[in-house]
Amino acid sequence: MAALTEAFSVKRYMRDLKLPFCPGCGCFTITNSFLRAVHELGYEDLSRFIFCSGIGCAAWIPSPYFKADSIHTPHGRSIPAATGVRLMRPKLNVVVFGGDGDIAGIGLSHLIHAARRNLDIAVIMVNNMVYGMTGGQVAPTTPFKTKTATTPYGSFEHPLDVTRLVVSAGASYAARWTTAHARNLKEAFKNAVTTKGFAFVEVVSQCPTAFGRRAGFKGVAEILRWFKENSIQLKQAEKMGEEKLAGKIVVGEFIRRELPTLTENVYAVLEEAKKRAETS
Ligand SMILES: Cc1ncc(C[n+]2csc(CCOP(=O)(O)OP(=O)(O)O)c2C)c(N)n1
Ligand code: SF4
Ligand SMILES: [Mg+2]
């Protein structure tokens, strides 16, 4: 598909509605980068996409704001909905947006099994390190010792590395970037949409309202500086010990591989069953 020659405008892909995000929220950057990726892939509109999202601030990114078909599911259940959509409409791009709580908290088992099955969808997880929409409670992704609404003396648990988890579960593509890496993010979204198989992009993102203030940041610029200064490219991280990596954000492409997908496997079994029924 050739890239569109017209200049990029989010208006092409978005309904004329006011976005629900707080000023300075990372969800603005993610929305913009995703739609830029769609534009650069040559899609004139979103008619070849179906979006699924659960509950939370990040889950509002596609629905109802994108001019597209979308399903807003209960909290944590976007991937099961996307599984059904994918199997019934195998030619469309199925993209899930969700927060770290939605995807890696309440919905974690669905994520692992989707990666294991190599379900051909793209999952974009906005990791703002808290449950943002409900007021900034500690999440499975909150960095150790970080103050949140429910850990006023600092979090006493270590965060889950969700990107590495999906790699070990069997994902075809996985990358992690932050909102301070808009260009890399856009490229990762392009890769995720075009991957044959399960694709995962973790976006470490700022929530100035429910995370930043409590965690000790003065404003959005300071959080973005923290992202930039603490990000370590995967290749460099591989040469560093665990101690030196404590508190760092390892960014880059973690895996890109071609494997049979769930849709291919399901349709192959259906074909086989059909042939057997015809000959019996
Ligand atoms: C079954 C269920 N449990 C709890 C909630 C309350 N709830 C709504 S959003 C949310 C967490 C959202 O956090 P996250 O997914 O990280 O999204 P964010 O708002 O941070 O983008 C919770 C616990 C709910 N809506 N449904
Ligand atoms: S609460 Fe946080 S994540 Fe939610 S819209 Fe506001 S800044 Fe964004
Ligand atoms: Mg969150």
Side-chain angles (χ1 to χ4, degrees):
M1 200 175 279
L4 293 182
T5 46
E6 294 122 83
F8 168 71
S9 163
V10 291
K11 286 189 180 158
R12 175 190 280 273
Y13 305 102
M14 293 191 78
R15 298 197 169 100
D16 192 13
L17 298 169
K18 190 178 177 305
L19 287 170
F21 312 124
C22 309
C25 177
C27 289
F28 288 110
T29 307
I30 296 162
T31 302
N32 193 286
S33 300
F34 180 79
L35 293 176
R36 270 182 196 278
V38 165
H39 175 83
E40 288 185 17
L41 287 173
Y43 289 102
E44 290 188 6
D45 57 36
L46 295 172
S47 58
R48 305 301 303 160
F49 288 78
I50 296 191
F51 297 92
C52 298
S53 58
I55 303 296
C57 298
W60 287 112
I61 291 176
S63 160
Y65 304 97
F66 286 0
K67 280 184 203 157
D69 289 328
S70 56
I71 305 177
H72 227 119
T73 74
H75 192 30
R77 309 299 171 224
S78 52
I79 292 176
T83 308
V85 173
R86 175 80 245 178
L87 291 174
M88 293 317 292
R89 302 298 301 273
K91 294 210 167 83
L92 296 180
N93 298 308
V94 181
V95 181
V96 167
F97 276 92
D100 43 338
D102 199 45
I103 301 288
I106 192 170
L108 182 64
S109 61
H110 303 305
L111 177 75
I112 297 169
H113 291 297
R116 173 184 66 81
R117 298 160 124 187
N118 202 24
L119 172 68
D120 24 358
I121 62 171
V123 175
I124 296 167
M125 187 186 83
V126 180
N127 179 4
N128 59 8
M129 298 164 273
V130 283
Y131 295 152
M133 201 176 83
T134 44
Q137 295 85 356
V138 71
T141 43
T142 305
F144 190 51
K145 292 189 174 166
T146 303
K147 288 184 182 166
T148 72
T150 47
T151 55
Y153 301 105
S155 162
F156 32 78
E157 301 169 11
H158 289 278
L160 189 62
D161 187 331
V162 188
T163 299
R164 286 194 196 275
L165 178 70
V166 298
V167 170
S168 67
S172 283
Y173 178 83
R176 182 193 292 127
W177 295 101
T178 79
T179 45
H181 300 89
R183 201 172 307 150
N184 302 98
L185 207 51
K186 182 190 68 184
E187 292 307 315
F189 290 153
K190 282 159 78 173
N191 291 331
V193 167
T194 53
T195 288
K196 183 177 88 72
F198 186 80
F200 181 78
V201 181
E202 174 179 349
V203 191
V204 179
S205 176
Q206 75 275 18
C207 166
T209 306
F211 172 83
R213 203 170 23 92
R214 271 194 204 94
F217 293 97
K218 285 194 195 84
V220 174
E222 200 178 314
I223 308 180
L224 290 174
R225 207 173 320 122
W226 177 59
F227 287 170
K228 268 263 185 239
E229 287 170 2
N230 279 283
S231 291
I232 308 277
Q233 296 281 336
L234 181 60
K235 280 218 168 82
Q236 196 189 335
E238 278 162 358
K239 294 184 220 140
M240 293 166 67
E242 239 173 73
E243 249 170 58
K244 281 199 171 158
L245 282 173
K248 302 290 182 202
I249 306 167
V250 180
V251 294
E253 191 172 292
F254 284 65
I255 198 85
R256 190 202 285 244
R257 57 189 165 194
E258 198 161 314
L259 299 163
T261 71
L262 180 70
T263 313
E264 286 171 347
N265 291 343
V266 166
Y267 278 83
V269 169
L270 287 176
E271 259 325 292
E272 185 60 35
K274 217 158 79 183
K275 269 192 213 142
R276 275 202 210 165
E278 281 162 6
T279 52
S280 63

